[in-house]
Amino acid sequence: MTEAKFILEVDTLNKSYGDNTILKGVSLTLEEGEIKVLIGPSGGGKSTLLQCINCLVAPDSGTISMHGKEINLKNKKDLYQLRQRVGMIFQEFNLFDHLTALDNVTIALRKVRRMDKGAANKRAMFELEQVGLGDKIELYPAQLSGGQKQRVAIARALAMDPEVLLLDEPTSALDPELVGEVISVIKALAAKGMTMIMATHQISLIAGLARNVLFMENGIIQEQGSPKELLGAGKKTRTQGFCDRLSDLDGEGS
Amino acid sequence: MELSPFYQDLLTALNTGVITSIGLIIPSALGGVCIGIAAGALRTFGPKPVRKLGDAYAALFRGTPLVIQLFILYYGLPNLGIYLSPYAAAVTGFMLCSGAYQSEYVRGALLSIQRGQYYGAQALGFTTFQTVFWVIIPQAMRRAIHGCGNEIIYLIKYSSLAYIVTCMELTGEGNTIASEYFRFTEVFMMVGVYYLLLVSCAMLILKRIEQWLHVPGFGHQEG
């Protein structure tokens, strides 16, 4: 069998809560090393799409395939496997509050991957050093700043060797002066060729990183294309209009 | 100083009684906490029929007086051919009753854990059981410990009901001496002092456990 072209394929995902339809047949494909950025107004379905991709929220219909192989979303074992292969970074970090930075990273290695403690610690140390937190491993989430928490969360996801990383507004809950440290970690990941889908409002991330920009509104991908095609002075796209409004809100822009 | 025969008898009796009481309290407290965690977790995360069953258990044991439960265990079960010793009947009753109350504290604590903690674990490939066992329960435990400790302190005092099913513990022994000498005030004041000491010990141990479980970001001791 030849290697499938796409690392991840999502086909016509639908999701609604009661009468409220959040996703209306969203499809996307992701090549290895590709970075897609999701933008669009709040409530447009970005978070739900990301949560459906690793089935934290079960989609009502649609399929998810990795390397051309469809994942059976009804099979719990397949689901747990899928989630190990698709890392997720949350807006609110979601670190385990009762564990130190180190244990936040090791717990999945030990309990899910069944690594022994020594090997897990070594791996976790490596990942925490990569995000610049080698000296904070004994601290609890309550003792870390928002930026540090998000970097621990990134280390935690990377320790599982994910093939794809989903980032749900990774900088939106941070104080402005802490955004930079997280962005530089994400940029370093991109430089290493990490495959990512990221929902963000951070214009610097959109223009600098994305190969593809998806503009989502009302549960549909309204526009997609390279940043060049969609963004830039004089472009009459809705994406550009949305980004203009973001810049206006930011004042001098970020 | 030579104690009067009354006090000699009283202290001997109470010392025997307090040993029995401790023998009742420790397994009942531990059993109650275990039942409470299991029932609390099942009532929160279990499949619907299990949840209903758990709710029924809690409703039954919280809704009827402990004395009645003990009577049924000790005097009622023999009708079904099940004979429990006074001690076994008392411990069983205490465990089940304490477990029902504990499950309520545990359930409240489990429900107070934010959704994001589940997501964080699930996104790493944790199974539901692993999520509950390694992430939710350790956090909930730290929130529940004050309520659970309170329930253990209650248990120490309602362990005095064991003497109703003829298990001679602290109160029972005291009662015997009191009737014998007809000196109720001294005897029951003394019994009270013993309970006070037991509860003080329990509080000290609970405090230690709290300190041992302490993690920055979970309530008290924060500067």
Side-chain angles (χ1 to χ4, degrees):
Chain A
M1 204 180 101
T2 52
E3 184 75 359
K5 186 171 175 239
F6 298 114
I7 192 166
L8 179 79
E9 283 170 86
V10 173
D11 198 27
T12 44
L13 283 189
N14 286 294
K15 178 73 195 173
S16 46
Y17 292 105
D19 292 339
N20 193 3
T21 309
I22 311 289
L23 296 179
K24 295 175 194 156
V26 176
S27 302
L28 60 84
T29 56
L30 202 62
E31 287 172 37
E32 181 140 13
E34 185 180 356
I35 299 173
K36 273 194 171 31
V37 168
L38 284 174
I39 60 171
S42 308
K46 301 185 302 289
S47 285
T48 308
L49 173 59
L50 290 178
Q51 288 175 351
C52 279
I53 291 177
N54 70 352
C55 284
L56 288 182
V57 169
D60 297 335
S61 64
T63 61
I64 296 164
S65 314
M66 284 193 83
H67 296 293
K69 204 166 156 267
E70 192 184 321
I71 311 281
N72 179 1
L73 301 177
K74 296 275 177 284
N75 182 321
K76 287 213 161 172
K77 227 172 170 183
D78 280 13
L79 262 191
Y80 299 142
Q81 278 293 330
L82 168 73
R83 291 181 186 143
Q84 288 181 49
R85 294 163 74 186
V86 179
M88 178 113 184
I89 303 299
F90 301 89
Q91 182 176 351
E92 300 292 340
F93 330 124
N94 293 353
L95 289 186
F96 305 131
D97 293 329
H98 64 302
L99 297 175
T100 61
L102 184 70
D103 287 338
N104 259 283
V105 182
T106 60
I107 189 164
L109 295 174
R110 287 184 284 127
K111 304 307 172 197
V112 179
R113 281 282 153 82
R114 309 252 167 235
M115 262 192 206
D116 68 74
K117 202 169 178 180
N121 279 347
K122 214 167 133 197
R123 179 64 201 267
M125 270 309 293
F126 171 79
E127 295 297 345
L128 285 165
E129 272 162 13
Q130 291 289 301
V131 297
L133 293 171
D135 56 338
K136 303 265 190 270
I137 59 165
E138 290 304 326
L139 295 185
Y140 286 90
Q143 298 164 315
L144 296 170
S145 73
Q148 290 167 339
K149 281 190 235 185
Q150 193 60 292
R151 285 188 283 154
V152 173
I154 292 173
R156 179 174 76 171
L158 292 180
M160 296 296 280
D161 294 314
E163 295 165 51
V164 179
L165 202 56
L166 309 174
L167 299 100
D168 187 4
E169 306 205 16
T171 58
S172 299
L174 299 176
D175 290 339
E177 78 269 23
L178 301 176
V179 168
E181 61 190 73
V182 172
I183 287 187
S184 65
V185 167
I186 294 172
K187 284 192 167 155
L189 276 180
K192 281 188 207 152
M194 190 72 195
T195 313
M196 297 191 257
I197 308 179
M198 172 163 44
T200 186
H201 288 145
Q202 204 75 40
I203 291 190
S204 64
L205 281 175
I206 302 168
L209 284 180
R211 189 195 295 180
N212 255 303
V213 176
L214 309 180
F215 179 70
M216 244 187 123
E217 197 175 27
N218 300 326
I220 309 176
I221 296 174
Q222 304 275 7
E223 285 177 349
Q224 58 178 314
S226 67
K228 253 202 190 123
E229 288 162 359
L230 296 181
L231 300 167
K235 298 278 186 206
K236 290 273 179 287
T237 59
R238 299 166 78 165
T239 314
Q240 179 58 41
F242 179 72
C243 287
D244 282 345
R245 287 199 298 280
L246 280 186
S247 317
D248 288 348
L249 290 177
D250 277 356
E252 62 270 63
S254 47
Chain B
M1 191 185 86
E2 184 76 354
L3 285 173
S4 69
F6 163 68
Y7 276 106
Q8 277 179 23
D9 282 1
L10 178 62
L11 288 181
T12 319
L14 294 189
N15 288 342
T16 321
V18 83
I19 301 289
T20 313
S21 282
I22 292 170
L24 284 167
I25 291 161
I26 290 177
S28 303
L30 294 178
V33 168
C34 291
I35 293 175
I37 291 175
L42 288 174
R43 288 176 66 198
T44 317
F45 304 112
K48 207 158 187 198
V50 178
R51 245 184 287 169
K52 290 268 175 259
L53 207 69
D55 288 348
Y57 155 69
L60 186 68
F61 280 87
R62 294 198 310 148
T64 54
L66 179 57
V67 187
I68 310 268
Q69 295 164 22
L70 290 176
F71 276 156
I72 290 173
L73 283 168
Y74 188 62
Y75 298 110
L77 285 186
N79 295 327
L80 303 174
I82 303 170
Y83 293 88
L84 294 177
S85 70
Y87 174 79
V91 169
T92 311
F94 294 159
M95 268 189 200
L96 288 172
C97 178
S98 185
Y101 281 100
Q102 297 285 23
S103 81
E104 203 59 27
Y105 292 113
V106 170
R107 204 168 74 95
L110 289 171
L111 289 172
S112 78
I113 306 297
Q114 285 180 359
R115 193 100 201 111
Q117 297 288 317
Y118 296 83
Y119 279 165
Q122 300 269 284
L124 290 164
F126 278 69
T127 62
T128 308
F129 178 80
Q130 285 174 325
T131 306
V132 171
F133 193 82
W134 292 109
V135 177
I136 307 305
I137 288 183
Q139 294 188 23
M141 210 163 70
R142 292 175 165 85
R143 301 225 171 125
I145 183 155
H146 303 94
C148 291
N150 196 34
E151 174 56 29
I152 288 174
I153 286 166
Y154 264 125
L155 167 69
I156 291 176
K157 288 172 292 172
Y158 62 65
S159 73
S160 63
L161 289 176
Y163 100 94
I164 289 184
V165 290
T166 72
C167 179
M168 290 308 278
E169 43 63 76
L170 191 50
T171 310
E173 295 283 1
N175 199 33
T176 311
I177 300 290
S179 323
E180 216 169 283
Y181 288 87
F182 216 70
R183 291 169 73 170
F184 291 94
T185 313
E186 291 108 312
V187 170
F188 285 113
M189 275 177 71
M190 207 59 195
V191 170
V193 169
Y194 270 68
Y195 277 110
L196 196 58
L197 288 175
L198 281 179
V199 169
S200 304
C201 285
M203 289 207 286
L204 219 69
I205 294 170
L206 286 166
K207 187 96 204 149
R208 276 288 159 80
I209 296 176
E210 256 175 55
Q211 283 165 350
W212 175 63
L213 285 177
H214 174 69
V215 154
F218 279 84
H220 72 113
Q221 287 184 3
E222 228 62 43

